[in-house]
Amino acid sequence: MSSRSRRILLIFSLIAAMAAGYFAGAGRHVGHEPGAPGETAQPGEKTQYTCGMHPFIIQDEPGLCPICGMRLTPMRPGGEKAAAPAERRIKHWVSPMDPTYVRDAPGQDYMGHDLVAVYEEGSAPGQVLIDPVTVQNMGLRTAPVERRDLNRTIRTVGLVEYEEPRQFAVNSKIDGWVERLYVNETGQFVKKGQPLLDIYSPELVAAQQEYLLALRNRDRLAQSTFAEIAAGGERLLEAARTRLKYWDISARQIAELEKSGQPRKTLTLYSPYSGVVTKKDVVEGMRVMSGVDLLQISDLSRVWVHADIFEFELPWVRPGLSATVELPFAAGPDRVGKITYLYPYVIGETRTTQARIEFENPGLELRPGMYTNVRIAAQPVTDVLAVPNHAVLRSGKRETVFVALGEGRFEPRVVTTGVTDNEGFVQILSGLRVGERVVTSAQFMLDSESKLQEAIQKMLAPEPMETKPEIDLEDLF
């Protein structure tokens, strides 16, 4: 026999052996699963035990389930072929994505999904069926889906800060040296028009001299018979006066300069507003540059309180709501204000948004930098569908509840939730109807059971056979 013939004979022998093993294994399993319909009891057959919660757990001896710890129950040996189950009657058709979409005939929902049949008895696909005794042992409780009003009081912390429009900077518009400093302390109260400091500047002295020259020149040219010459002297004087005004020399100081006829060595800067000196960057004898801030004055007659609002609390907060501010270490009544502004960004360090509350501060009891306790009475959300918050299972991608259908049947339902109130109820935007009951305890065991049944169905479902091209034996050699 040639080498090629021996190879062909060996291949046919392997194929025949694999086929024989396949049919032999199929003959041992078909119709002989424990408790399968049509199984015939054999004399001396060994009793096997299984778990009521996990039917794939099968053991030859009694004991406890290795998954849930329940006692194993004996499996009933198969008898004569069971009668064919009666045909179930369809109650209605429902959308798999929206349980509120119910129809009396098959079809598709508004999203294009095929409607699923709901039967009058028994469990529909996707439901969990548990023995009532087991339900009682699990301590399973339910709560109704009802309409109610949701209320929430937000408790947070706040920080007292300056009112930004009432902060002012004092600087010089000319270069020079500080000859005298009238306000020399941080925290000192100043009034509007109070002198702050004197600045010596050679440029300022030269500008005053130019103004005096322009003043004398105007008086001399005013006697000219030519109108244009007289007008030119007036224009020159006005230009010199404007230059002094731009350097913050007041009209009163210009009038004194005209009266005395002698230029002043220093320029006095006056406080533009009343308030407290909150920043001081100047000392006597210091050389200052034009445009550099020397002092900062803040008016504390009104202050802001910035309250931190977490992201999940934002749906409850809006401008106009009443807010109560309490000073933890100060006696006296709480202060009540209103939210005037909600900042449109989130602070990265705290992941909070700030709500601004404005207060009058006549006694200066609210000092910038103080921490406060803030209570915000959110506006109620009225007449909404709600369930207990602990009835919702959150997996990160979706939110699920288990609906109790009665007779030990439970259906997992995907829902969309809204706000949560102080009493532990969460708003349901879609997925449930009034009157249904949801599981509020032991739903994690139902969740594991539903995932287990889904996995078993996927394993038992026949996979589509791939069409393989015919193999020519000549191509193997």
Side-chain angles (χ1 to χ4, degrees), residues 323-345:
T324 303
V325 172
E326 174 190 356
L327 298 178
F329 306 106
D334 298 339
R335 294 161 177 81
V336 180
K338 290 185 178 296
I339 297 177
T340 59
Y341 189 68
L342 191 64
Y343 288 86
Y345 55 83

Side-chain angles (χ1 to χ4, degrees), residues 48 64 82 96 153 192 390:
Q48 293 183 319
L64 300 178
T153 299
K192 183 178 180 179
H390 51 268

Side-chain angles (χ1 to χ4, degrees), residues 86 129 135 139 454:
L129 181 61
V135 172
E454 181 183 359

Side-chain angles (χ1 to χ4, degrees), residues 55-278:
F56 63 91
I57 300 296
I58 301 175
Q59 297 183 3
D60 296 333
E61 297 179 356
L64 300 178
C65 175
I67 298 178
C68 62
M70 294 181 58
R71 187 177 299 279
L72 301 180
T73 57
M75 299 177 61
R76 180 172 58 87
E80 296 181 358
K81 185 175 181 180
E87 183 179 357
R88 295 183 296 175
R89 296 182 58 186
I90 297 177
K91 185 177 180 181
H92 55 258
W93 299 79
V94 65
S95 169
M97 302 299 294
D98 185 2
T100 61
Y101 189 89
V102 181
R103 293 295 182 269
D104 296 331
Q108 292 182 340
D109 61 6
Y110 55 89
M111 293 179 287
H113 299 96
D114 294 332
L115 300 181
V116 179
V118 177
Y119 299 91
E120 292 185 351
E121 55 182 85
S123 59
Q127 297 179 0
V128 179
L129 181 61
I130 301 179
D131 184 78
V133 177
T134 305
V135 172
Q136 184 177 3
N137 294 335
M138 292 168 58
L140 189 144
R141 295 190 298 272
T142 61
V145 181
E146 58 185 357
R147 288 194 171 274
R148 59 183 296 130
D149 297 340
L150 302 182
N151 298 275
R152 188 177 183 91
T153 299
I154 299 174
R155 299 179 181 272
T156 182
V157 296
L159 183 65
V160 180
E161 297 185 4
Y162 299 100
E163 189 176 27
E164 293 177 3
R166 294 175 180 262
Q167 289 182 294
F168 314 101
V170 177
N171 54 58
S172 172
K173 295 181 174 141
I174 57 176
D175 299 340
W177 288 261
V178 178
E179 290 284 327
R180 184 176 180 183
L181 198 59
Y182 298 99
V183 177
N184 203 17
E185 296 177 3
T186 303
Q188 183 176 348
F189 284 88
V190 296
K191 295 182 179 180
K192 183 178 180 179
Q194 178 179 340
L196 300 177
L197 52 88
D198 290 340
I199 295 180
Y200 162 70
S201 173
E203 296 180 7
L204 179 61
V205 174
Q208 293 180 80
Q209 291 175 346
E210 290 177 2
Y211 179 77
L212 294 176
L213 290 175
L215 181 63
R216 289 193 292 267
N217 187 49
R218 183 204 63 176
D219 295 339
R220 187 173 58 254
L221 295 180
Q223 302 175 0
S224 175
T225 57
F226 297 97
E228 293 182 358
I229 296 178
E234 187 65 33
R235 287 195 299 269
L236 182 61
L237 179 63
E238 186 63 27
R241 181 185 292 111
T242 302
R243 184 180 182 187
L244 293 177
K245 290 182 179 180
Y246 286 166
W247 281 346
D248 291 339
I249 297 193
S250 64
R252 180 175 59 85
Q253 291 174 317
I254 295 177
E256 292 178 356
L257 176 63
E258 293 178 356
K259 184 177 180 180
S260 64
Q262 297 294 329
R264 293 186 56 185
K265 178 183 177 183
T266 59
L267 167 68
T268 302
L269 297 182
Y270 297 89
S271 176
Y273 299 94
S274 299
V276 179
V277 177
T278 56

Side-chain angles (χ1 to χ4, degrees), residues 29-40 76-85:
H29 291 283
V30 175
H32 289 279
E33 295 183 0
E39 182 182 9
T40 305
R76 180 172 58 87
E80 296 181 358
K81 185 175 181 180

